[in-house]
Amino acid sequence: MTRDDVTPPSAPAYRPEGLDDAFTDGGDPRPADAGSGSLPALGLVGWLRWVWRQLTSMRVALLLLVLLAVAAVPGTMFPQRPQDPAAVAAYLTDNPSTGPWLDRLGFFDVYASVWFSAVYLLLFASLVGCIVPRTRVHAAALRGRPPRTPRRFGRFPAQGEGTSDDEPRVVVERAAAVLRRRRLGVPWFRADVHDEGAGTWSVSAERGYLRETGNLVFHLALLGLLVAMATGQMLHYRGQAIVVQGTGFANVQAAYDTFERGTAFDPADLEPFTLRLDEFESRFDPVTLQSRDFTAYVTVTEPGGEPVERTVKVNHPIVAGGAKVYLQGNGYAPAVTVRDASGEVAFSGAVPFLPQDAVYTSRGVVKVPDVADGQPQIGLVGFLLPTAQEPAPGLWRSVDPQPQDPLLVLSVWAGNLGLDTGVPQNVYRLDESRMEQAVDDDGDVVTLYVRPGQTVELPDGLGTLTFDELPRFVALDLRHDPSLAWVLTFSLLALAGLTASLFAPRRRLWVRAAPGQRRDEGPGAGTTVVTAAGLARGDDVGLQPELDRVLARVLGAPAPSHDATGLDTPQEGRT
Amino acid sequence: MSVAELSDLFVWSAATALTIALIAYSVDLARLTEAAQAARAAAREPVTVGGPSVAAATAPSGVTGGARGTRATGIARSTLVLGTLLLLVGIVLRGVAAGRSPTANMYEFTILGTFCALVALLVMQRRRPIAFVGVVVSGIAVLALVLALNTLHVQADAVQPALQRYWLVIHVGVAIIATGISTVAFATTVLQVLRDARDTGRSRLERPWSRLDGVRQAFHGARVTGPSFAWLEQVPDARRLEASSFRQHAVGFVLWTLTLIGGAIWAEEAWGRYWGWDPKEVGTFVAWVVYAAYLHARTTRGWAGRRAAYLVFVAYGVVLANFTVVNLYIPGNHSYSGL
Ligand code: HEM
C-alpha cells in the first residue's frame, strides 16, 4: 500500500465533509509518488523498484484479487483431473480438436496450472510487500503518542460541549482519568494531557490499535496459511486400501490400491501398523433404502503395541500410526472357490465387487490364472445382487442393499487373462482381447446363477465354481498430513484478525477545557468551557455516543445530546 | 395431515403474507415517489431548474417524518412480521418431521436462508424503514419461497451418513445466515448506487445512443434521474447507505469466512481432505475473494463508492450461482439438492 494510493474508506463523494482522514497521514514511510503510475527514470534498479511499487500498490492487489476469482472459475466448468480423471478422458474423446489445447493450457488441472499459481503467488508477493512496511509503521504507532489536540474542533464528525465549575486543569485531568480507565485489563484510551497556555488545558486520546493489529494479523495469517498448506503438500501421503472382512491390512506402500505422496515424504517412513476388519454394519432406511449408518469394527495393532479394537464411521475417522483412517466406501466381496478341470483348487478367496447403485448391485471380476497345464485361463464377469428378484424371466435385479437373498450372476470367459503382458491391469475389469466368452449349443451366452453354498459346473468342462460366503469389504482412505494443526491455527488467526479489523473501532477523542467568558448564567452554570471532538477511522456510528459518554462522566452531569453528524443509530449490533 | 404437510402449509402461508408485504412496500414506495415529486414541484418555484443535481440538492435527504406510520408502512411491517413468524413455524415443523435440523437439502436451505434475510430486514427496518429495501428483499423472499415449494421441494427425511454431524448445523447454518445477510446488504448497495446515480445525474438513458436509440427511448421513462425514481430523494444519502451496506457486508464477510473454515474442518472429517476444489468450495471461495476485493476497493483510491458497489453485485451473483447452478448442474460432493 502506498500513501498516494489509499483514501480513507469513504470516497471523495462519500467522505464526511471537509475532513482529511488523519489516520492515513504518515501511514506509509514511502514517498508520495509511489504507485502514481508515472513512468520510471531509466535504469534497471529504478525499473525494478517501479515494478515492485506497482505490485505492492493497493490497486494491483485489488486487480490480483479479482483475477484470482476469475481464474478459479474454469475449474468448475471443465472436468478436473485430480477429482475425476475419467471425465477428463471422456471430454478429450468428445472434443478431439479443442480438448488437447485446453489440456496443454492447464484447463483440466486449473488449480495446479501455471497461470493460476502465478496469480496467487503474485498476490502473496504483493501481500508481503504491503505487510512489511505496514507492520513497521504500526509498530512505531504502538509506541507513539496520540496526536496533539487540534486548534479548532469545527470540522470533526463528532463534537460536544459543556461547562464546569472546576478549574480547566482539574477537568482535563479527570477526563484523562476517565479515558485511561482499564477495560478487560487494558487501558480504554491512550491519553496525553497538554498545557496549552493561558489557563487552557486539553487531553488527546486514541484507541483501537487493535484494528490495525487485527488487519496485519489477518494478512499475515493468510500468508501462514499458504505456507502451511504448501508444507503439507510436500510432507503428506494419501492412499486407499480395500480391506475384506476377516482380513488385515499392513501399512506398507505395496498394500495400497492407490498411493500418492508429497515430494518430501519417504515411503520407508510409513509406520507399519496393521488393521483388521472384524465386522461391518450398515443400516438403510426401510422405505427409501437410503443409507443411514455405516460402521466398521476394526482391530488396530501399532508397532510394538497391543491390538486395540476401534470403530470407524463415515465422518468419524480414527488415527492410527500417525495417519487418519477414513471409511470412504463399502461393499460385498463374495468368497468363491474355483476348481479347474482336474478338480484342483485354482482359486479361492474373497473378491470385492464394486457397488453401482443404491441397492448395491455390484460389479466385479474373478480372474483365475492358475489353472492346470493345458487348460485356458478363466475369467468370470458379472454382478452380485444382495437381494435378488426376478421380475421377468431371465431378468434379475437387486431390490435391497442388505444381503437378504444374495445371488451371483456371472458370464464365463476362457483364454489368456493377459496378466503377464507387463501392463498393469485393473482388477475390476477383464481384458477380453485374448479371451472368448462361453456360449451354449444355440450360440447364446452362458450365464451362471449361484447362491451362497451352491456349486455350479463351468461350461465347456472348465471346472466348477463354489460361492462360499459373502463377507463385506470397506474402502479405507489413509492420510497423513502433519500441517493440519498449522492450517487450522492460521485459519482461526485469520478469522480473529479479520473480526478485530472490521469491528474494533479506531477512535481519537480530544477534550479541551478553557477559562470561560460566560459568567453568572444562573445557578450551576460553570465557568470553565469544555469542548470535545472525535474522529474515527471510516464511518463509525458509535463515535458520537462514546464522546457523549466521556463528556458526561467528565462533567458529572447527563450528556448534552448533540448529534453533529446526523449519523444514525447502529445496525448489526455494532457499537 | 402429517407434520411435513403442515410445515409446507405454513411456508405457503408465509409466502402469501410476504406477497402482501411486497405489495404494501410497493405502495409505500409509490407514495414516496409522489411525495418527492410534490416536494420537487414546490422547490422548483423559486429555482430555475438546471438539472437533476439541482433537484437532488434541494430535496430533503434522509427519511422524512411522514415515512413512518402511514397505512401502507403499517401493513407492510405487520405482514412482514407475520410472514417471518409463519416461516419460522414452517421451518421448525420441517425439522420435527425430518427428525434433524432442517439444513440438509436445497429446499431447507432456501426457506431458512429466506428466513435469515427477513430477520436481517426486520432488524434493519426497525432502525430505519426504507421501502425500497423492503421491496427488494420481500420480492426476493417471495420468489425464493415459491421456487422452493414448487421446484426444490423434497420429502422431509433423515440424511445419509456423510451429513450426520453437528457440522451440518454449524457450517450450513452459518452459510444460510451469511446468504441472508448478503441479500439485505445487496439490496442496500443497489439503493446506494441508484441514489448515487440520481444525485450525480448519471443515467445512460439520458444521452442518445448511437445505435438502438429506439430501445433507449422506450426505456426512457425508467431512467434513474426521471420522475419515477423521485422517491430516491427520500432515502438516506449515498454516503450513509454505503456505510450501512459496508457494516452489513462486514458481518456477512466474517460469516463467509466462518463458512469456509467450518466447511474445511467438516470436509477434513467427512471426505478426508480439508480442501479439494469441489465446485461448491470453488464457488464459495470465489464469492469470498470478490467480497474481499470489495473491502479492498472501498479503501482504494478511485474505487470507493460506486465501483466498489459493482463488486458487490458480482459477489452476490456468485453467491446465487453457487447455490443454484452449482447445486443443480455441476456434479460434485455437494450435490445434495435431493432432486
Ligand atoms: C491474499 C489476498 C488478500 C486477501 C484475501 C485480503 C483480504 C482483505 C480483507 C478481507 C480486508 C478487509 C479487512 C478490513 O477492512 O480491515 C483487507 C484489508 C486490507 N488489505 Fe487485504 N487482502 C489480501 C491481500 C492484500 C494485499 C496484497 C494488500 C496490499 C497491497 C492488502 C492491503 C490491505 C489493506 C491496506 C487493508 C486495510 C484497508 C483498510 O484501511 O481498512 N491486502 N484485506
Side-chain angles (χ1 to χ4, degrees), chain A residues 481-506:
Chain A
D481 183 347
S483 73
L484 281 183
W486 289 106
V487 170
L488 184 64
T489 306
F490 283 122
S491 309
L492 296 180
L493 264 179
L495 184 68
L498 178 72
T499 309
S501 163
L502 286 171
F503 300 114
R506 177 97 195 249

Side-chain angles (χ1 to χ4, degrees), chain A residues 1-2 6-9 24 55-62 64-65 68 120 122-131 134 211-212 214-215 218-219 222-223 497-498 500-502 537, chain B residues 246 253 257 288-289 291-293 295-296 298-299:
Chain A
M1 156 177 101
T2 62
V6 172
T7 56
T24 53
L55 184 64
T56 57
S57 78
M58 200 67 174
R59 210 173 298 137
V60 170
L62 177 59
L64 287 170
L65 274 173
L68 182 68
Y120 75 74
L122 275 176
L123 184 59
F124 277 96
S126 168
L127 188 59
V128 172
C130 175
I131 261 354
R134 274 178 70 200
R211 190 185 180 90
E212 180 72 359
N215 190 288
F218 169 73
H219 285 91
L222 291 182
L223 204 64
L498 178 72
S501 163
L502 286 171
R537 172 123 198 194
Chain B
F246 166 64
F253 188 76
T257 311
W288 185 81
V289 170
Y291 275 123
L295 291 176
H296 270 209
R298 284 188 80 246
T299 60

Side-chain angles (χ1 to χ4, degrees), chain A residues 120-121 222-236 262-264 481-484 486-487 490, chain B residues 274:
Chain A
Y120 75 74
L121 289 178
L222 291 182
L223 204 64
L225 193 61
L226 186 78
V227 172
M229 288 169 109
T231 314
Q233 259 309 304
M234 274 162 47
L235 293 175
H236 88 293
T263 46
D481 183 347
S483 73
L484 281 183
W486 289 106
V487 170
F490 283 122
Chain B
Y274 55 84

Side-chain angles (χ1 to χ4, degrees), chain A residues 88-338:
Chain A
V88 175
Y91 188 96
L92 286 170
T93 322
D94 295 344
N95 302 278
S97 54
T98 53
W101 277 105
L102 290 172
D103 200 6
R104 232 161 284 163
L105 293 173
F107 276 86
F108 301 122
D109 193 0
V110 165
Y111 307 106
S113 70
V114 177
W115 39 276
F116 189 78
S117 315
V119 173
Y120 75 74
L121 289 178
L122 275 176
L123 184 59
F124 277 96
S126 168
L127 188 59
V128 172
C130 175
I131 261 354
V132 170
R134 274 178 70 200
T135 309
R136 219 181 301 125
V137 170
H138 185 55
L142 281 178
R143 275 178 269 112
R145 303 307 311 173
R148 286 190 72 92
T149 318
R151 214 141 14 97
R152 270 191 287 275
F153 287 171
R155 299 182 308 152
F156 286 90
Q159 292 169 36
E161 60 187 356
T163 52
S164 171
D165 287 331
D166 295 318
E167 288 291 305
R169 177 166 187 177
V170 177
V171 172
V172 162
E173 297 283 6
R174 193 159 57 224
V178 167
L179 290 164
R180 285 180 191 144
R181 203 186 44 206
R182 285 182 168 265
R183 277 186 170 184
L184 304 172
V186 286
W188 187 22
F189 274 88
R190 176 179 293 174
D192 280 349
V193 172
H194 312 277
D195 178 359
E196 300 190 341
T200 299
W201 287 72
S202 76
V203 59
S204 56
E206 178 160 20
R207 79 166 170 117
Y209 300 94
L210 187 62
R211 190 185 180 90
E212 180 72 359
T213 310
N215 190 288
L216 292 173
V217 167
F218 169 73
H219 285 91
L220 285 170
L222 291 182
L223 204 64
L225 193 61
L226 186 78
V227 172
M229 288 169 109
T231 314
Q233 259 309 304
M234 274 162 47
L235 293 175
H236 88 293
Y237 75 78
R238 163 200 286 285
Q240 192 168 63
I242 286 195
V243 183
V244 177
Q245 200 174 340
T247 68
F249 159 84
N251 191 28
V252 290
Q253 193 180 345
Y256 285 97
D257 293 312
T258 61
F259 186 84
E260 50 125 348
R261 62 187 173 87
T263 46
F265 182 81
D266 181 355
D269 292 344
L270 283 171
E271 255 187 73
F273 71 92
T274 61
L275 180 150
R276 215 180 93 96
L277 179 64
D278 303 317
E279 174 104 34
F280 181 78
E281 257 176 34
S282 57
R283 264 192 321 107
F284 297 87
D285 186 290
V287 182
T288 63
L289 299 180
Q290 278 193 1
S291 55
R292 287 290 171 259
D293 184 49
F294 299 126
T295 310
Y297 298 91
V298 298
T299 303
V300 176
T301 315
E302 306 247 6
E306 290 293 306
V308 188
E309 290 186 2
R310 313 277 305 265
T311 54
V312 195
K313 286 163 90 84
V314 175
N315 251 322
H316 299 267
I318 60 167
V319 175
K324 274 182 159 179
V325 182
Y326 299 85
L327 178 60
Q328 289 303 61
N330 66 83
Y332 295 98
V336 295
T337 303
V338 178

